[in-house]
């Protein structure tokens, strides 16, 4: 789509995730077409000044939007939806990134607006994000496609059925943190073996980045792993140590726990309860 074909794109919430996605949207649609707001007005103004878009009130963001991104925590979402529901244009597409909250819950609080649910991750801030996009059967295909197009500068996007969104949250939403822990641990080991800390971090991070690129290029991780493991060599010795420490099981438990937390948080919000851990005004 041409940049001006999107109309006005608004985002309520300029925390880490909202800011990362709006920087990508600015690159795709132009700063002149982007409005932002936040419960902390100074935060919205600072973000707008940093990328050339415009800071406004929640009401103006809602009233003028053709696409309205809601970058707030799940606990804040019900009150925000109640606040803005009367201000939206009927044609406005609402894009929610609240973990665990289904499109049906968002749609029920609005007045028939199409609702698209996304789950991005923090790597969107450097253009290497992974964003899942899901929309109900009543959302026109071109609207879902437009959301993917708007987010194209943030990294990779994939359309998934909403039933997989909690799994997405566990894998790619929370996954960067798991990767950071792995990189940090690899760097610690390199330091233990005598490498300077700064250099160790570069070696660990670049190694994980390269491994990921090989998988994205079509290699199966098990096949790639076998290709690196020479008989009686160093790598198979390290793999054996990982297996002795139940590394795979720990990763599976971590992703599963994050996905299950997403599901339980969504049920709490849908039932009108406020999850105790979700008390920040913006994501």
């Amino acid at each position: 789509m041409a940049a001006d074909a999107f109309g006005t794109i608004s985002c309520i919430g300029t925390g880490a995730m909202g800011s990362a996605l709006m920087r990508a949207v600015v690159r795709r649609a132009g700063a002149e077409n982007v409005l932002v707001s936040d419960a902390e007005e100074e935060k919205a103004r600072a973000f707008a000044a940093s990328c050339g878009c415009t800071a406004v009130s929640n009401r103006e963001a809602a009233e003028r939007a053709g696409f309205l991104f809601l970058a707030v925590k799940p606990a804040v979402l019900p009150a925000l939806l109640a606040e803005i529901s009367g201000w939206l244009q009927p044609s406005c597409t609402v894009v929610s990134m609240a973990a665990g909250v289904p499109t049906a819950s968002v749609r029920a609080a609005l007045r028939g607006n199409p609702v698209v649910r996304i789950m991005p991750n923090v790597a969107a801030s450097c253009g290497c994000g992974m964003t899942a996009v899901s929309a109900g059967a009543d959302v026109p295909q071109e609207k879902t496609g437009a959301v993917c197009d708007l987010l194209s500068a943030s990294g990779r996007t994939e359309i998934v059925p909403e039933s997989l969104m909690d799994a997405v949250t566990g894998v790619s939403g929370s996954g960067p943190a798991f990767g950071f822990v792995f990189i940090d641990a690899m760097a610690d080991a390199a330091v233990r073996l005598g490498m300077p800390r700064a250099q160790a971090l570069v070696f660990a991070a670049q190694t994980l980045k390269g491994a990921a690129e090989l998988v994205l290029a079509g290699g199966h991780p098990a096949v790639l792993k076998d290709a690196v493991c020479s008989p009686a060599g160093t790598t198979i010795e390290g793999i054996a140590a990982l297996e002795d420490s139940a590394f795979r099981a720990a990763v599976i438990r971590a992703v599963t726990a994050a996905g299950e937390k997403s599901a339980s948080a969504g049920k709490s919000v849908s039932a009108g309860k406020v999850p105790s851990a979700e008390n920040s005004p913006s994501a």
Side-chain angles (χ1 to χ4, degrees):
M1 292 177 65
D4 58 1
F6 295 108
T8 298
I9 301 105
S10 296
C11 182
I12 298 178
T14 55
M17 200 69 260
S19 295
L21 290 184
M22 285 306 104
R23 288 189 191 281
V25 169
V26 163
R27 293 195 295 273
R28 177 65 186 90
E32 68 278 8
N33 295 315
V34 177
L35 306 177
V36 296
S37 67
D38 197 282
E40 299 177 39
E41 295 180 7
E42 184 54 41
K43 183 189 288 187
R45 286 194 292 267
F47 173 75
S50 74
C51 65
C53 63
T54 303
V56 296
S57 66
N58 283 1
R59 179 165 188 160
E60 187 172 356
E63 285 180 335
R64 294 176 57 185
F67 290 87
L68 176 62
F69 286 77
L70 303 179
V72 300
K73 300 288 188 181
V76 179
L77 190 61
L80 177 62
L81 292 172
E83 177 188 356
I84 67 173
S85 63
W87 300 334
L88 296 171
Q89 299 299 319
S91 60
C92 176
T93 300
V94 174
V95 184
S96 171
M97 61 190 81
V101 182
T103 54
S105 295
V106 178
R107 192 182 305 113
L110 300 175
R111 298 183 176 181
N113 294 85
V115 177
V116 175
R117 178 179 172 187
I118 65 173
M119 175 47 62
N121 69 17
V122 69
S125 62
C126 62
C128 294
M130 180 70 246
T131 301
V133 179
S134 181
D138 61 329
V139 179
Q141 186 174 355
E142 61 269 20
K143 294 284 190 181
T144 308
V147 171
C148 292
D149 194 351
L150 278 170
L151 296 176
S152 59
S154 72
R156 187 165 183 158
T157 62
E158 292 276 349
I159 295 175
V160 302
E162 189 166 14
S163 60
L164 292 181
M165 273 298 201
D166 293 322
V168 166
T169 300
V171 175
S172 62
S174 300
F178 308 150
F180 299 148
V181 171
F182 189 27
I183 290 168
D184 194 35
M186 287 183 68
D188 280 347
V191 171
R192 186 182 187 192
L193 293 170
M195 185 177 284
R197 169 68 61 181
Q199 192 173 47
L201 285 170
V202 171
F203 270 76
Q206 181 63 33
T207 297
L208 266 290
K209 180 180 180 181
E213 290 289 352
L214 287 170
V215 173
L216 289 173
H220 190 284
V223 174
L224 292 167
K225 179 263 296 177
D226 287 349
V228 181
C229 290
S230 302
T234 59
T235 306
I236 192 61
E237 195 71 19
I239 293 292
L242 288 177
E243 296 293 357
D244 284 344
S245 300
F247 177 75
R248 291 170 184 266
V251 173
I252 291 169
R253 286 197 301 271
V255 173
T256 302
E260 290 176 345
K261 177 67 175 180
S262 171
S264 65
K267 289 176 182 177
S268 295
V269 171
S270 298
K273 300 175 183 176
V274 177
S276 58
E278 304 287 350
N279 54 13
S280 173
S282 59

